[in-house]
Amino acid sequence: MARVPAATRETIPQAHQEAFEAEVQSRGGVPRTGPGSIMINSPEACRRAAHLSAYLRRESTLPPHVQELAMLVTARAPCLQRPVLRRV
């Protein structure tokens, strides 16, 4: 069961309707899984994050192989964190 209900046009404040519609159109629908399903509840933040992502992927001056390495390292980073041990 999802912790955050799926966003709908009716649940988004009127001030954010335009950003919501633009994000839904660009994604081909309301995302149901992954980070996008949470971020769509704040359409303006979602729009800005998508813009940053597009910039980093398409306009960065880094060579593609360095971009790919950075993505792989970033994706792997949470797995490498040491667990916090608590004393009982």
Side-chain angles (χ1 to χ4, degrees), residues 1-22:
M1 176 184 233
R3 293 181 185 180
V4 177
T8 64
R9 192 173 208 291
E10 293 76 32
T11 61
I12 300 298
Q14 188 65 33
H16 300 284
Q17 290 290 325
E18 188 176 319
F20 178 79
E21 293 298 331

Side-chain angles (χ1 to χ4, degrees), residues 40-64:
I40 195 70
N41 284 285
S42 179
E44 186 61 26
C46 188
R47 184 185 69 79
R48 291 175 185 227
H51 182 75
L52 175 61
S53 178
Y55 170 78
L56 292 173
R57 282 189 168 270
R58 296 183 191 98
E59 298 175 35
S60 173
T61 58
L62 292 174

